[in-house]
mmCIF file of all heavy atoms in Angstrom:
data_model
loop_
_atom_site.group_PDB
_atom_site.id
_atom_site.type_symbol
_atom_site.label_atom_id
_atom_site.label_comp_id
_atom_site.label_asym_id
_atom_site.label_seq_id
_atom_site.Cartn_x
_atom_site.Cartn_y
_atom_site.Cartn_z
ATOM 1 N N ILE W 1447 -31.513 18.474 40.953
ATOM 2 C CA ILE W 1447 -32.913 18.290 40.495
ATOM 3 C C ILE W 1447 -33.618 19.544 40.388
ATOM 4 O O ILE W 1447 -33.639 20.263 41.431
ATOM 5 C CB ILE W 1447 -33.492 17.190 41.243
ATOM 6 C CG1 ILE W 1447 -34.822 16.710 40.754
ATOM 7 C CG2 ILE W 1447 -33.710 17.614 42.738
ATOM 8 C CD1 ILE W 1447 -35.492 15.468 41.377
ATOM 9 N N SER W 1448 -34.326 19.755 39.260
ATOM 10 C CA SER W 1448 -35.071 20.973 39.158
ATOM 11 C C SER W 1448 -36.502 20.754 38.836
ATOM 12 O O SER W 1448 -37.370 21.687 39.135
ATOM 13 C CB SER W 1448 -34.437 21.944 38.091
ATOM 14 O OG SER W 1448 -34.294 21.096 36.823
ATOM 15 N N ALA W 1449 -36.980 19.537 38.411
ATOM 16 C CA ALA W 1449 -38.384 19.270 38.123
ATOM 17 C C ALA W 1449 -38.513 17.804 38.205
ATOM 18 O O ALA W 1449 -37.675 16.964 37.708
ATOM 19 C CB ALA W 1449 -38.798 19.768 36.817
ATOM 20 N N PHE W 1450 -39.800 17.384 38.614
ATOM 21 C CA PHE W 1450 -40.098 15.940 38.632
ATOM 22 C C PHE W 1450 -41.598 15.889 38.473
ATOM 23 O O PHE W 1450 -42.382 16.066 39.295
ATOM 24 C CB PHE W 1450 -39.769 15.408 40.057
ATOM 25 C CG PHE W 1450 -39.819 13.842 40.132
ATOM 26 C CD1 PHE W 1450 -38.588 13.082 40.168
ATOM 27 C CD2 PHE W 1450 -41.083 13.137 40.226
ATOM 28 C CE1 PHE W 1450 -38.674 11.682 40.062
ATOM 29 C CE2 PHE W 1450 -41.065 11.738 40.211
ATOM 30 C CZ PHE W 1450 -39.935 11.006 40.196
ATOM 31 N N GLU W 1451 -41.940 15.761 37.091
ATOM 32 C CA GLU W 1451 -43.257 15.709 36.611
ATOM 33 C C GLU W 1451 -43.777 14.275 36.381
ATOM 34 O O GLU W 1451 -42.954 13.368 36.085
ATOM 35 C CB GLU W 1451 -43.365 16.506 35.320
ATOM 36 C CG GLU W 1451 -42.806 17.930 35.371
ATOM 37 C CD GLU W 1451 -43.715 18.822 36.183
ATOM 38 O OE1 GLU W 1451 -44.790 18.990 35.716
ATOM 39 O OE2 GLU W 1451 -43.353 19.186 37.337
ATOM 40 N N PHE W 1452 -45.128 14.167 36.488
ATOM 41 C CA PHE W 1452 -45.590 12.826 36.074
ATOM 42 C C PHE W 1452 -46.960 13.052 35.346
ATOM 43 O O PHE W 1452 -47.602 14.062 35.301
ATOM 44 C CB PHE W 1452 -45.880 11.951 37.419
ATOM 45 C CG PHE W 1452 -47.198 12.271 38.021
ATOM 46 C CD1 PHE W 1452 -48.331 11.451 37.710
ATOM 47 C CD2 PHE W 1452 -47.419 13.335 38.871
ATOM 48 C CE1 PHE W 1452 -49.604 11.567 38.209
ATOM 49 C CE2 PHE W 1452 -48.605 13.515 39.438
ATOM 50 C CZ PHE W 1452 -49.726 12.689 39.107
ATOM 51 N N TRP W 1453 -47.296 11.989 34.519
ATOM 52 C CA TRP W 1453 -48.635 12.029 33.842
ATOM 53 C C TRP W 1453 -48.943 10.519 33.662
ATOM 54 O O TRP W 1453 -48.021 9.591 33.630
ATOM 55 C CB TRP W 1453 -48.564 12.934 32.629
ATOM 56 C CG TRP W 1453 -47.650 12.278 31.456
ATOM 57 C CD1 TRP W 1453 -47.928 11.498 30.476
ATOM 58 C CD2 TRP W 1453 -46.303 12.869 31.321
ATOM 59 N NE1 TRP W 1453 -46.629 11.508 29.665
ATOM 60 C CE2 TRP W 1453 -45.789 12.154 30.169
ATOM 61 C CE3 TRP W 1453 -45.457 13.676 32.026
ATOM 62 C CZ2 TRP W 1453 -44.474 12.447 29.713
ATOM 63 C CZ3 TRP W 1453 -44.192 13.962 31.506
ATOM 64 C CH2 TRP W 1453 -43.660 13.384 30.324
ATOM 65 N N GLU W 1454 -50.192 10.217 33.332
ATOM 66 C CA GLU W 1454 -50.662 8.815 33.194
ATOM 67 C C GLU W 1454 -50.731 8.700 31.650
ATOM 68 O O GLU W 1454 -50.686 9.553 30.833
ATOM 69 C CB GLU W 1454 -51.870 8.567 33.874
ATOM 70 C CG GLU W 1454 -53.082 9.569 33.537
ATOM 71 C CD GLU W 1454 -54.419 8.991 33.992
ATOM 72 O OE1 GLU W 1454 -54.578 7.787 33.742
ATOM 73 O OE2 GLU W 1454 -55.229 9.805 34.496
ATOM 74 N N ARG W 1455 -51.088 7.404 31.267
ATOM 75 C CA ARG W 1455 -51.199 6.916 29.915
ATOM 76 C C ARG W 1455 -52.122 7.767 29.198
ATOM 77 O O ARG W 1455 -51.903 8.095 28.003
ATOM 78 C CB ARG W 1455 -51.599 5.391 29.975
ATOM 79 C CG ARG W 1455 -51.744 4.899 28.478
ATOM 80 C CD ARG W 1455 -52.584 3.523 28.472
ATOM 81 N NE ARG W 1455 -51.772 2.491 29.173
ATOM 82 C CZ ARG W 1455 -51.165 1.464 28.487
ATOM 83 N NH1 ARG W 1455 -51.129 1.501 27.144
ATOM 84 N NH2 ARG W 1455 -50.502 0.527 29.054
ATOM 85 N N ARG W 1456 -53.333 8.008 29.658
ATOM 86 C CA ARG W 1456 -54.377 8.688 28.811
ATOM 87 C C ARG W 1456 -53.809 10.042 28.439
ATOM 88 O O ARG W 1456 -54.107 10.575 27.277
ATOM 89 C CB ARG W 1456 -55.742 8.691 29.571
ATOM 90 C CG ARG W 1456 -56.812 9.351 28.799
ATOM 91 C CD ARG W 1456 -56.963 8.677 27.463
ATOM 92 N NE ARG W 1456 -58.050 9.213 26.588
ATOM 93 C CZ ARG W 1456 -58.118 9.202 25.328
ATOM 94 N NH1 ARG W 1456 -57.058 8.692 24.573
ATOM 95 N NH2 ARG W 1456 -59.273 9.767 24.592
ATOM 96 N N CYS W 1457 -53.113 10.712 29.366
ATOM 97 C CA CYS W 1457 -52.596 12.095 29.095
ATOM 98 C C CYS W 1457 -51.581 11.957 27.865
ATOM 99 O O CYS W 1457 -51.637 12.832 27.001
ATOM 100 C CB CYS W 1457 -51.828 12.599 30.252
ATOM 101 S SG CYS W 1457 -52.879 12.976 31.774
ATOM 102 N N ASN W 1458 -50.895 10.978 27.913
ATOM 103 C CA ASN W 1458 -49.780 10.789 26.778
ATOM 104 C C ASN W 1458 -50.646 10.612 25.516
ATOM 105 O O ASN W 1458 -50.143 11.255 24.517
ATOM 106 C CB ASN W 1458 -48.940 9.618 27.205
ATOM 107 C CG ASN W 1458 -47.483 9.622 26.597
ATOM 108 O OD1 ASN W 1458 -46.741 10.305 26.981
ATOM 109 N ND2 ASN W 1458 -47.325 8.857 25.533
ATOM 110 N N GLU W 1459 -51.626 9.796 25.556
ATOM 111 C CA GLU W 1459 -52.276 9.471 24.412
ATOM 112 C C GLU W 1459 -53.004 10.726 23.675
ATOM 113 O O GLU W 1459 -53.053 11.002 22.481
ATOM 114 C CB GLU W 1459 -53.449 8.476 24.536
ATOM 115 C CG GLU W 1459 -52.822 7.142 24.851
ATOM 116 C CD GLU W 1459 -53.876 6.093 25.326
ATOM 117 O OE1 GLU W 1459 -54.983 6.481 25.691
ATOM 118 O OE2 GLU W 1459 -53.576 4.931 25.456
ATOM 119 N N LEU W 1460 -53.509 11.625 24.582
ATOM 120 C CA LEU W 1460 -54.215 12.958 24.211
ATOM 121 C C LEU W 1460 -53.112 13.833 23.473
ATOM 122 O O LEU W 1460 -53.627 14.405 22.450
ATOM 123 C CB LEU W 1460 -54.891 13.538 25.247
ATOM 124 C CG LEU W 1460 -56.157 12.749 25.824
ATOM 125 C CD1 LEU W 1460 -56.649 13.329 27.152
ATOM 126 C CD2 LEU W 1460 -57.245 12.754 24.829
ATOM 127 N N VAL W 1461 -52.091 14.038 24.079
ATOM 128 C CA VAL W 1461 -51.050 14.899 23.501
ATOM 129 C C VAL W 1461 -50.638 14.387 22.014
ATOM 130 O O VAL W 1461 -50.644 15.158 21.111
ATOM 131 C CB VAL W 1461 -49.846 15.024 24.354
ATOM 132 C CG1 VAL W 1461 -48.730 15.886 23.618
ATOM 133 C CG2 VAL W 1461 -50.231 15.771 25.611
ATOM 134 N N VAL W 1462 -50.501 13.053 22.027
ATOM 135 C CA VAL W 1462 -50.079 12.521 20.674
ATOM 136 C C VAL W 1462 -51.172 12.700 19.711
ATOM 137 O O VAL W 1462 -50.965 12.995 18.472
ATOM 138 C CB VAL W 1462 -49.795 10.924 20.752
ATOM 139 C CG1 VAL W 1462 -49.566 10.322 19.415
ATOM 140 C CG2 VAL W 1462 -48.504 10.837 21.743
ATOM 141 N N GLN W 1463 -52.455 12.479 20.110
ATOM 142 C CA GLN W 1463 -53.577 12.643 19.251
ATOM 143 C C GLN W 1463 -54.047 14.024 18.716
ATOM 144 O O GLN W 1463 -54.110 14.252 17.661
ATOM 145 C CB GLN W 1463 -54.811 11.973 19.915
ATOM 146 C CG GLN W 1463 -56.043 12.019 19.086
ATOM 147 C CD GLN W 1463 -57.216 11.457 19.787
ATOM 148 O OE1 GLN W 1463 -57.211 10.848 20.849
ATOM 149 N NE2 GLN W 1463 -58.453 11.459 19.163
ATOM 150 N N TYR W 1464 -53.950 14.983 19.711
ATOM 151 C CA TYR W 1464 -54.520 16.291 19.365
ATOM 152 C C TYR W 1464 -53.338 17.200 19.140
ATOM 153 O O TYR W 1464 -53.597 18.289 18.457
ATOM 154 C CB TYR W 1464 -55.321 16.750 20.522
ATOM 155 C CG TYR W 1464 -56.663 16.009 20.646
ATOM 156 C CD1 TYR W 1464 -56.873 14.957 21.431
ATOM 157 C CD2 TYR W 1464 -57.703 16.461 19.775
ATOM 158 C CE1 TYR W 1464 -58.119 14.313 21.593
ATOM 159 C CE2 TYR W 1464 -58.988 15.726 19.872
ATOM 160 C CZ TYR W 1464 -59.164 14.718 20.701
ATOM 161 O OH TYR W 1464 -60.309 14.011 20.674
ATOM 162 N N GLU W 1465 -52.213 17.129 19.551
ATOM 163 C CA GLU W 1465 -51.120 17.986 19.393
ATOM 164 C C GLU W 1465 -50.082 17.469 18.349
ATOM 165 O O GLU W 1465 -49.200 18.263 17.876
ATOM 166 C CB GLU W 1465 -50.380 18.329 20.674
ATOM 167 C CG GLU W 1465 -51.269 18.906 21.740
ATOM 168 C CD GLU W 1465 -51.760 20.208 21.353
ATOM 169 O OE1 GLU W 1465 -51.242 20.986 20.618
ATOM 170 O OE2 GLU W 1465 -52.931 20.537 21.888
ATOM 171 N N LYS W 1466 -50.382 16.232 17.877
ATOM 172 C CA LYS W 1466 -49.470 15.594 16.880
ATOM 173 C C LYS W 1466 -48.044 15.643 17.293
ATOM 174 O O LYS W 1466 -47.106 15.862 16.461
ATOM 175 C CB LYS W 1466 -49.687 16.426 15.546
ATOM 176 C CG LYS W 1466 -51.147 16.491 15.079
ATOM 177 C CD LYS W 1466 -51.891 15.179 15.034
ATOM 178 C CE LYS W 1466 -53.358 15.395 14.621
ATOM 179 N NZ LYS W 1466 -54.114 14.049 14.716
ATOM 180 N N ASN W 1467 -47.781 15.382 18.594
ATOM 181 C CA ASN W 1467 -46.483 15.435 19.127
ATOM 182 C C ASN W 1467 -46.035 14.026 19.581
ATOM 183 O O ASN W 1467 -46.845 13.346 20.280
ATOM 184 C CB ASN W 1467 -46.300 16.320 20.356
ATOM 185 C CG ASN W 1467 -44.930 16.700 20.719
ATOM 186 O OD1 ASN W 1467 -44.027 16.217 20.117
ATOM 187 N ND2 ASN W 1467 -44.859 17.676 21.518
ATOM 188 N N PRO W 1468 -45.044 13.377 18.961
ATOM 189 C CA PRO W 1468 -44.694 11.927 19.309
ATOM 190 C C PRO W 1468 -44.401 11.755 20.775
ATOM 191 O O PRO W 1468 -43.813 12.728 21.515
ATOM 192 C CB PRO W 1468 -43.514 11.713 18.472
ATOM 193 C CG PRO W 1468 -42.933 13.024 18.039
ATOM 194 C CD PRO W 1468 -44.052 14.021 18.037
ATOM 195 N N SER W 1469 -44.709 10.633 21.231
ATOM 196 C CA SER W 1469 -44.432 10.278 22.671
ATOM 197 C C SER W 1469 -42.856 10.332 22.914
ATOM 198 O O SER W 1469 -42.143 9.927 21.975
ATOM 199 C CB SER W 1469 -44.908 8.898 23.017
ATOM 200 O OG SER W 1469 -44.598 8.469 24.344
ATOM 201 N N PRO W 1470 -42.455 10.815 24.045
ATOM 202 C CA PRO W 1470 -40.927 10.613 24.405
ATOM 203 C C PRO W 1470 -40.377 9.269 24.456
ATOM 204 O O PRO W 1470 -39.229 9.118 24.515
ATOM 205 C CB PRO W 1470 -40.922 11.474 25.553
ATOM 206 C CG PRO W 1470 -42.220 11.557 26.266
ATOM 207 C CD PRO W 1470 -43.172 11.463 25.063
ATOM 208 N N LEU W 1471 -41.410 8.260 24.733
ATOM 209 C CA LEU W 1471 -40.818 6.969 24.942
ATOM 210 C C LEU W 1471 -41.494 6.072 23.724
ATOM 211 O O LEU W 1471 -42.531 6.416 23.215
ATOM 212 C CB LEU W 1471 -41.322 6.429 26.244
ATOM 213 C CG LEU W 1471 -40.517 7.055 27.423
ATOM 214 C CD1 LEU W 1471 -41.020 6.384 28.766
ATOM 215 C CD2 LEU W 1471 -39.067 7.012 27.407
ATOM 216 N N ASP W 1472 -40.751 5.009 23.443
ATOM 217 C CA ASP W 1472 -41.285 4.188 22.330
ATOM 218 C C ASP W 1472 -42.548 3.338 22.656
ATOM 219 O O ASP W 1472 -43.494 3.149 21.838
ATOM 220 C CB ASP W 1472 -40.100 3.247 21.962
ATOM 221 C CG ASP W 1472 -38.949 3.849 21.353
ATOM 222 O OD1 ASP W 1472 -39.184 4.976 20.623
ATOM 223 O OD2 ASP W 1472 -37.771 3.356 21.433
ATOM 224 N N ASP W 1473 -42.503 2.794 23.917
ATOM 225 C CA ASP W 1473 -43.578 1.919 24.337
ATOM 226 C C ASP W 1473 -44.584 2.687 25.225
ATOM 227 O O ASP W 1473 -44.293 3.520 25.940
ATOM 228 C CB ASP W 1473 -43.072 0.682 25.113
ATOM 229 C CG ASP W 1473 -42.081 -0.136 24.309
ATOM 230 O OD1 ASP W 1473 -42.359 -0.282 22.996
ATOM 231 O OD2 ASP W 1473 -41.085 -0.533 24.731
ATOM 232 N N PRO W 1474 -45.912 2.062 25.157
ATOM 233 C CA PRO W 1474 -46.875 2.743 26.115
ATOM 234 C C PRO W 1474 -46.702 2.167 27.534
ATOM 235 O O PRO W 1474 -46.172 1.155 27.785
ATOM 236 C CB PRO W 1474 -48.145 2.294 25.525
ATOM 237 C CG PRO W 1474 -47.920 0.906 24.973
ATOM 238 C CD PRO W 1474 -46.456 1.097 24.291
ATOM 239 N N HIS W 1475 -47.083 3.138 28.594
ATOM 240 C CA HIS W 1475 -46.861 2.809 29.880
ATOM 241 C C HIS W 1475 -48.016 3.265 30.684
ATOM 242 O O HIS W 1475 -48.697 4.332 30.256
ATOM 243 C CB HIS W 1475 -45.640 3.352 30.447
ATOM 244 C CG HIS W 1475 -44.373 2.922 29.777
ATOM 245 N ND1 HIS W 1475 -43.649 1.742 29.934
ATOM 246 C CD2 HIS W 1475 -43.604 3.455 28.675
ATOM 247 C CE1 HIS W 1475 -42.596 1.564 29.233
ATOM 248 N NE2 HIS W 1475 -42.547 2.651 28.276
ATOM 249 N N GLU W 1476 -48.303 2.817 31.791
ATOM 250 C CA GLU W 1476 -49.402 3.227 32.760
ATOM 251 C C GLU W 1476 -49.045 4.659 33.197
ATOM 252 O O GLU W 1476 -49.929 5.413 33.343
ATOM 253 C CB GLU W 1476 -49.660 2.265 33.938
ATOM 254 C CG GLU W 1476 -50.308 1.025 33.477
ATOM 255 C CD GLU W 1476 -51.596 1.212 32.581
ATOM 256 O OE1 GLU W 1476 -52.500 1.929 33.279
ATOM 257 O OE2 GLU W 1476 -51.793 0.663 31.598
ATOM 258 N N PHE W 1477 -47.775 4.807 33.536
ATOM 259 C CA PHE W 1477 -47.310 6.105 34.050
ATOM 260 C C PHE W 1477 -46.067 6.455 33.342
ATOM 261 O O PHE W 1477 -45.217 5.728 33.041
ATOM 262 C CB PHE W 1477 -47.240 6.206 35.601
ATOM 263 C CG PHE W 1477 -48.512 6.068 36.222
ATOM 264 C CD1 PHE W 1477 -48.956 4.771 36.690
ATOM 265 C CD2 PHE W 1477 -49.418 7.145 36.531
ATOM 266 C CE1 PHE W 1477 -50.142 4.515 37.371
ATOM 267 C CE2 PHE W 1477 -50.488 6.922 37.168
ATOM 268 C CZ PHE W 1477 -50.964 5.626 37.626
ATOM 269 N N TYR W 1478 -45.854 7.907 33.370
ATOM 270 C CA TYR W 1478 -44.616 8.529 32.820
ATOM 271 C C TYR W 1478 -44.084 9.523 33.830
ATOM 272 O O TYR W 1478 -44.918 10.185 34.468
ATOM 273 C CB TYR W 1478 -44.983 9.152 31.535
ATOM 274 C CG TYR W 1478 -45.380 8.398 30.378
ATOM 275 C CD1 TYR W 1478 -46.694 7.982 30.365
ATOM 276 C CD2 TYR W 1478 -44.475 7.928 29.430
ATOM 277 C CE1 TYR W 1478 -47.095 7.055 29.279
ATOM 278 C CE2 TYR W 1478 -44.970 7.127 28.352
ATOM 279 C CZ TYR W 1478 -46.301 6.623 28.359
ATOM 280 O OH TYR W 1478 -46.718 5.929 27.280
ATOM 281 N N VAL W 1479 -42.813 9.600 33.909
ATOM 282 C CA VAL W 1479 -42.109 10.592 34.748
ATOM 283 C C VAL W 1479 -41.149 11.290 33.956
ATOM 284 O O VAL W 1479 -40.389 10.757 33.109
ATOM 285 C CB VAL W 1479 -41.480 9.872 35.988
ATOM 286 C CG1 VAL W 1479 -40.405 10.844 36.648
ATOM 287 C CG2 VAL W 1479 -42.495 9.566 37.100
ATOM 288 N N MET W 1480 -41.087 12.686 34.170
ATOM 289 C CA MET W 1480 -39.990 13.449 33.586
ATOM 290 C C MET W 1480 -39.220 14.140 34.573
ATOM 291 O O MET W 1480 -39.808 14.909 35.416
ATOM 292 C CB MET W 1480 -40.673 14.491 32.590
ATOM 293 C CG MET W 1480 -39.672 15.323 31.773
ATOM 294 S SD MET W 1480 -40.317 16.572 30.730
ATOM 295 C CE MET W 1480 -40.540 17.752 31.873
ATOM 296 N N ILE W 1481 -37.823 13.973 34.548
ATOM 297 C CA ILE W 1481 -36.965 14.563 35.581
ATOM 298 C C ILE W 1481 -36.006 15.440 34.838
ATOM 299 O O ILE W 1481 -35.472 15.058 33.902
ATOM 300 C CB ILE W 1481 -36.126 13.415 36.345
ATOM 301 C CG1 ILE W 1481 -37.219 12.377 36.993
ATOM 302 C CG2 ILE W 1481 -35.188 13.929 37.393
ATOM 303 C CD1 ILE W 1481 -36.409 11.084 37.420
ATOM 304 N N GLU W 1482 -35.948 16.664 35.365
ATOM 305 C CA GLU W 1482 -34.999 17.500 34.780
ATOM 306 C C GLU W 1482 -33.905 17.858 35.960
ATOM 307 O O GLU W 1482 -34.207 17.978 37.123
ATOM 308 C CB GLU W 1482 -35.551 18.814 34.343
ATOM 309 C CG GLU W 1482 -34.588 19.793 33.768
ATOM 310 C CD GLU W 1482 -35.224 21.217 33.639
ATOM 311 O OE1 GLU W 1482 -35.593 21.833 34.577
ATOM 312 O OE2 GLU W 1482 -35.354 21.681 32.445
ATOM 313 N N THR W 1483 -32.676 18.034 35.399
ATOM 314 C CA THR W 1483 -31.599 18.458 36.309
ATOM 315 C C THR W 1483 -31.002 19.703 35.729
ATOM 316 O O THR W 1483 -30.964 19.917 34.508
ATOM 317 C CB THR W 1483 -30.555 17.451 36.677
ATOM 318 O OG1 THR W 1483 -29.693 17.290 35.492
ATOM 319 C CG2 THR W 1483 -31.063 16.129 37.133
ATOM 320 N N ARG W 1484 -30.519 20.584 36.553
ATOM 321 C CA ARG W 1484 -29.793 21.791 36.168
ATOM 322 C C ARG W 1484 -28.681 22.040 37.141
ATOM 323 O O ARG W 1484 -28.746 21.962 38.370
ATOM 324 C CB ARG W 1484 -30.688 23.058 36.219
ATOM 325 C CG ARG W 1484 -31.869 22.975 35.302
ATOM 326 C CD ARG W 1484 -32.765 24.302 35.356
ATOM 327 N NE ARG W 1484 -33.314 24.589 34.062
ATOM 328 C CZ ARG W 1484 -33.992 25.812 33.820
ATOM 329 N NH1 ARG W 1484 -33.983 26.821 34.852
ATOM 330 N NH2 ARG W 1484 -34.425 26.016 32.645
ATOM 331 N N GLY W 1485 -27.562 22.216 36.523
ATOM 332 C CA GLY W 1485 -26.291 22.305 37.274
ATOM 333 C C GLY W 1485 -25.216 23.170 36.606
ATOM 334 O O GLY W 1485 -25.535 23.882 35.676
ATOM 335 N N SER W 1486 -24.069 23.133 37.057
ATOM 336 C CA SER W 1486 -22.878 24.062 36.618
ATOM 337 C C SER W 1486 -21.711 23.178 36.021
ATOM 338 O O SER W 1486 -20.801 23.604 35.492
ATOM 339 C CB SER W 1486 -22.384 24.938 37.697
ATOM 340 O OG SER W 1486 -21.998 24.135 38.789
ATOM 341 N N PHE W 1487 -21.781 21.828 36.141
ATOM 342 C CA PHE W 1487 -20.742 20.927 35.727
ATOM 343 C C PHE W 1487 -21.222 19.764 35.004
ATOM 344 O O PHE W 1487 -21.717 18.906 35.637
ATOM 345 C CB PHE W 1487 -19.787 20.612 36.920
ATOM 346 C CG PHE W 1487 -18.516 19.890 36.589
ATOM 347 C CD1 PHE W 1487 -17.872 20.104 35.328
ATOM 348 C CD2 PHE W 1487 -17.947 18.940 37.403
ATOM 349 C CE1 PHE W 1487 -16.652 19.450 34.941
ATOM 350 C CE2 PHE W 1487 -16.761 18.312 37.073
ATOM 351 C CZ PHE W 1487 -16.206 18.518 35.764
#
Side-chain angles (χ1 to χ4, degrees):
I1447 188 170
S1448 53
F1450 194 102
E1451 302 288 296
F1452 86 96
W1453 60 92
E1454 57 162 317
R1455 178 196 291 259
R1456 185 58 181 150
C1457 298
N1458 210 74
E1459 293 171 348
L1460 289 172
V1461 175
V1462 173
Q1463 179 180 353
Y1464 288 97
E1465 302 298 332
K1466 310 304 179 186
N1467 198 349
S1469 173
L1471 296 181
D1472 293 330
D1473 299 324
H1475 303 276
E1476 287 303 311
F1477 293 96
Y1478 297 78
V1479 162
M1480 187 181 82
I1481 304 168
E1482 181 193 64
T1483 70
R1484 289 181 154 194
S1486 59
F1487 186 30

